[in-house]
């Protein structure tokens, strides 16, 4: 009997982060970092782990979406799945009835991503490699075969993608050696949550520089007077040589984004992130044109490769921010990395939340070794929250991510943490104080 | 005690339409037309009905999404809700935790739309008016206050919207009289489903012309040889004066859409609908430029007003196809109608499925009376499926929709039909033959 997927277990796990306003921004004042967590189990007792990051209410819906797609995974042969996760990705995204609920967006698309990522985790474990290394060891043709080009060929063809990867083959061994020795640049969002007071902001900015970060990020968009004051404090603390990015989390319309950012320009912001709706390709382009040389960054809510394609075609972004859990998994993120490489735009992955750092580091490291070949203008977001719950947590030191070497995609959460934070029946949520302290809007 | 919403009842209702391949197209070979149906009940015993159209698997997920938002509706004062559904729409769309699952797209956005539409149904019933008339009787200022302009002001401001509506006030009474006397143009998709054989196609084309239709629509994109043959048959049957639109349901990439449609150009297609991903604003623009004078139409899967805004800004569409259930209800469709009016692009609503004709006619009729003031280049899609299940079904005669005059949004499904087609436990689904006959992909 060949080894098959025997079950897809799902868990609604939520951390009561809103109590201390960790993660608070203009659009998300009270997030409870959460995940639709999933485990693929095989008939031989192997496991692949994945998760879809969420921020509280609705995580049950995300779990239900994973279960809606699970019948397309259960019973599949493991050797076929791990040899070609792209075929599964196409089936999950293309189901002709469930597709109506997207298409290629929202909970059904993220559910597909969670399942696809879990298959990659399983594949990397079987190969006894961290995912970034598994990907980097695939041939250009194998990688390109993992991408669905249906809607992308007006910007990037299969042949062009192979050429990009082939070109990057020179120097790979040296880059891999450097990566293992020196790690990959990180930037930190820890100082800048909107819910923190000025003293905490100043202290955390100071500590970030002492810790070796060259780029920090502040949340903006709540109140202009506050933003001017906070940005002034941050700039004074870090000095002129540290880059300060700002992040509006979609709070503005296009004219408002331009007006507001002109008031902050005096503090030399490095990029403005999510100045408006993530769907507004042309709006990002207008903001970018008006605010140059301030860069425009977006991606954590950009729901698929078709949207990234247009952001690049329209010269609407300076920085592409892939997210490990928003699109349909590793395969669609490969498409985005290839598109970014074609257009020569650097990728600075979105991370934070629960497990986003753990997952997305693999994609950035692969990109450095096997595709872009550069860390110039690139850094992975780092937030020091909730890593203690992971079996293979990220290691960040001196402002750099150290390359993970454990097999898999680093997605696995400790069993004790899953039990404690399972919603609504885990002990962490049974605590009445926690429940009372969770605002509802 | 003031009247309040006491409950949100939801029902998963599915019709086994895939057995006869009604509704079959290149992307949806076996749809089972379905709905996440919902009923708002008030403490005084009144009801508002709404639905989110789906095509089979995943309807349970759409139902769960409605229930995830229901706590924001239950307990609300009815007088406040019906006086200002826009405030509810903003709260539903803006919930800071559930928003992460979109934002403003997919099942959570459609769930918001279902609830918002049900509130409008309730409002129109209380006012004892069909919805189109209720909307047409609002002042420009009242209508504009129902729209969320946050992400739209770079294309349309509140003041411009008021001016558009004010300008349309001349001739309103006469247009309303004409509408009640003559109805509103319809077009039919009944002849052209991909699963029908040539004989059925020819017969249905002939009948459509005899029935008074001036525009018919054929599905394309399965196989080019078949499309050339089918389009040739249709053109021969209907003659040169009847418009034939074609619909690819997103099956192509941009270069493929252009190549394929050049082969069909000999048959003088009126528009190509959904030539590629509904997210690909720039792609639609490229297709439109390459294929002119063939028009480009899209909208049934365009997930929010920000996307419609860009399709108009980029000169990417000739025809805007609003859908009653894809965006966040009447309020967001008001935004789209205002944008289309500003850019001078006609709206031809998408309909068919279950209840889409019933719901969307109200928006087109409102647009004619109070906004665009014209039926030139405009028609509402009509498909003769499943209307028998509605309390207030559409009436189409001589190729025209007759204006509904019953109070509400015409969303109400007959209780017997709900009971019979409830999934999975309704008698229609307990029939083993039906279950066996439903393909799974």
């Amino acid at each position: 009997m060949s080894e098959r997927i025997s079950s897809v277990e799902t868990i609604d796990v939520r951390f009561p982060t809103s109590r201390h306003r960790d993660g608070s921004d203009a659009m998300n004042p009270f997030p409870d970092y959460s995940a639709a967590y999933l485990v693929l189990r095989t008939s031989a007792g192997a496991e692949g782990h994945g998760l879809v990051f969420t921020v509280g209410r609705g995580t049950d819906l995300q779990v239900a979406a994973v279960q809606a797609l699970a019948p397309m995974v259960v019973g599949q042969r493991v050797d076929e799945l791990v040899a070609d996760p792209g075929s599964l990705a196409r089936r999950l995204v293309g189901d002709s009835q469930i597709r109506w609920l997207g298409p290629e967006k929202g909970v059904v698309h993220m559910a597909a991503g969670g399942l696809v990522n879990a298959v990659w985790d399983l594949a990397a474990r079987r190969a006894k490699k961290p995912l970034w290394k598994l990907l980097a060891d695939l041939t250009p043709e194998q990688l390109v075969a993992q991408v669905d080009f249906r809607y992308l060929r007006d910007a990037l063809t299969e042949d062009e993608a192979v050429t990009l990867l082939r070109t990057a083959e020179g120097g790979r061994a040296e880059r891999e050696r450097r990566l293992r020795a020196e790690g990959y640049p990180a930037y930190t969002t820890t100082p800048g949550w909107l819910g923190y007071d000025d003293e905490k902001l100043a202290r955390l900015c100071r500590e970030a520089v002492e810790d070796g970060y060259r780029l920090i990020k502040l949340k903006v968009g709540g109140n202009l007077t506050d933003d001017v004051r906070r940005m002034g404090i941050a700039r004074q603390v870090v000095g002129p040589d540290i880059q300060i990015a700002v992040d509006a989390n979609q709070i503005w319309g296009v004219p408002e984004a331009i007006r507001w950012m002109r008031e902050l320009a005096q503090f030399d912001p490095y990029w403005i992130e999510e100045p408006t709706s993530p769907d507004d390709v042309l709006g990002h382009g207008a903001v970018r044109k008006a605010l140059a040389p301030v860069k425009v960054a977006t991606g954590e809510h950009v729901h698929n490769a078709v949207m990234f394609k247009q952001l690049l075609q329209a010269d609407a972004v300076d920085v592409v921010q892939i997210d490990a859990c928003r699109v349909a998994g590793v395969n669609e993120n490969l498409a985005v990395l290839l598109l970014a490489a074609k257009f020569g735009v650097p990728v600075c992955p979105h991370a934070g939340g629960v497990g986003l750092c753990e997952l997305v580091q693999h994609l950035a490291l692969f990109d450095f070794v096997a595709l872009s070949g550069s860390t110039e203008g690139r850094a992975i977001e780092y937030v020091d929250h909730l890593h203690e719950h992971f079996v293979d947590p990220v290691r960040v030191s001196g402002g750099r991510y150290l390359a993970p070497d454990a097999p898999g995609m680093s997605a696995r959460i400790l069993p004790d943490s899953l039990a404690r934070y399972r919603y609504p029946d885990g002990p962490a949520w049974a605590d009445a104080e926690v429940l009372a302290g969770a605002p509802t809007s």
Side-chain angles (χ1 to χ4, degrees), chain A:
Chain A
M1 278 286 286
S2 55
E3 183 181 4
R4 292 181 185 267
I5 302 293
S6 51
S7 69
V8 177
E9 180 190 353
T10 45
I11 303 169
D12 180 339
V13 55
R14 308 190 192 187
F15 299 88
T17 47
S18 61
R19 282 182 299 174
H20 300 108
R21 302 203 64 188
D22 298 336
S24 54
D25 63 48
M27 203 60 116
N28 308 286
F30 297 104
D32 284 323
Y33 285 166
S34 307
Y37 190 78
L38 66 114
V39 186
L40 305 183
R41 297 188 198 283
T42 82
S43 53
E47 296 175 2
H49 292 235
L51 61 86
V52 181
F53 173 60
T54 53
V55 298
R57 281 184 301 284
T59 305
D60 47 338
L61 194 61
Q62 188 60 61
V63 166
V66 173
Q67 285 298 348
L69 293 174
M72 300 175 70
V73 182
V74 174
Q76 298 295 307
R77 282 180 58 151
V78 173
D79 56 353
E80 291 177 3
L81 283 185
V82 301
D84 179 17
S87 288
L88 175 68
R90 279 172 228 229
R91 289 198 303 276
L92 293 174
V93 170
D95 177 276
S96 73
Q97 294 190 348
I98 291 177
R99 189 180 184 282
W100 190 271
L101 304 177
E104 304 191 30
K105 56 182 69 69
V107 297
V108 293
H109 203 56
M110 294 194 287
L115 287 161
V116 168
N117 283 346
V119 168
W120 281 103
D121 181 63
L122 176 61
R125 286 171 190 282
R126 282 164 72 98
K128 298 189 170 55
K129 294 178 182 180
L131 178 69
W132 67 266
K133 174 65 172 157
L134 174 73
L135 292 171
D137 286 349
L138 296 177
T139 67
E141 288 76 10
Q142 287 173 319
L143 285 164
V144 167
Q146 287 301 302
V147 171
D148 185 348
F149 281 84
R150 176 195 293 233
Y151 294 137
L152 306 181
R153 292 191 189 94
D154 54 324
L156 178 72
T157 65
E158 287 90 333
D159 286 349
E160 289 174 317
V162 168
T163 301
L164 286 168
L165 290 158
R166 184 91 65 220
T167 305
E169 288 180 327
R172 277 191 38 167
E174 168 58 16
R175 287 196 296 276
E176 189 177 324
R177 190 201 58 74
R178 271 178 51 205
L179 191 64
R180 291 185 191 274
E182 302 166 14
Y184 189 100
Y187 77 88
T188 178
T189 309
T190 296
W193 300 109
L194 220 49
Y196 291 175
D197 63 28
D198 290 352
E199 194 182 0
K200 188 167 183 180
L201 165 69
R203 174 172 58 79
L204 293 173
C205 284
R206 200 173 304 116
E207 290 174 7
V209 177
E210 288 165 6
D211 287 346
Y213 293 99
R214 307 295 300 165
L215 167 60
I216 64 171
K217 191 164 82 185
L218 265 54
K219 300 292 182 177
V220 296
N223 173 291
L224 181 55
T225 308
D226 287 348
D227 283 354
V228 169
R229 189 186 71 253
R230 288 161 50 81
M231 186 91 189
I233 291 168
R235 178 55 75 201
Q236 188 176 27
V237 168
V238 304
D241 298 334
I242 301 294
Q243 293 168 334
I244 306 178
V246 297
D247 184 354
N249 291 89
Q250 315 166 28
I251 199 76
W252 302 315
V254 172
E256 195 181 3
I258 294 168
R259 279 198 307 273
W260 197 297
M261 283 304 298
R262 285 194 170 137
E263 300 293 322
L264 299 182
Q266 59 185 308
F267 303 110
D268 189 23
Y270 181 59
W271 77 51
I272 170 62
E273 178 171 332
E274 290 203 309
T276 188
S277 164
D279 298 336
D280 200 345
V281 172
L282 302 178
H284 280 80
V287 169
R288 179 170 182 261
K289 201 168 165 190
L291 295 179
V294 177
K295 296 178 190 295
V296 168
T298 197
E300 71 181 81
H301 278 88
V302 173
H303 57 269
N304 62 34
V306 173
M307 298 301 291
F308 279 107
K309 178 186 78 166
Q310 294 176 87
L311 286 163
L312 293 162
Q313 288 174 315
D315 290 326
V317 287
D318 301 280
V319 177
V320 164
Q321 300 180 301
I322 58 169
D323 179 284
C325 298
R326 178 66 57 184
V327 301
V330 169
N331 300 73
E332 192 164 13
N333 267 321
L334 280 175
V336 179
L337 292 172
L338 287 164
L339 284 163
K342 162 83 185 283
F343 284 84
V345 172
V347 174
C348 294
H350 169 250
V354 182
L356 295 179
C357 301
E358 276 70 18
L359 272 68
V360 88
Q361 62 179 337
H362 290 276
L363 299 168
L365 270 50
F366 156 76
D367 178 63
F368 172 62
V369 173
L371 181 51
S372 74
S374 171
T375 58
E376 182 68 30
R378 292 166 170 85
I380 306 169
E381 185 167 19
Y382 177 65
V383 187
D384 188 13
H385 293 159
L386 307 173
H387 302 290
E388 65 275 21
H389 299 293
F390 283 80
V391 173
D392 179 24
V394 291
R395 296 169 300 159
V396 172
S397 175
R400 298 178 80 86
Y401 275 79
L402 307 185
D405 47 26
M409 200 179 177
S410 312
R412 194 170 293 205
I413 293 181
L414 294 163
D416 282 357
S417 296
L418 290 174
R420 175 156 174 73
Y421 291 96
R422 192 170 65 188
Y423 187 86
D425 59 340
W429 288 100
D431 177 343
E433 183 226 271
V434 170
L435 286 169
T440 55
S441 66

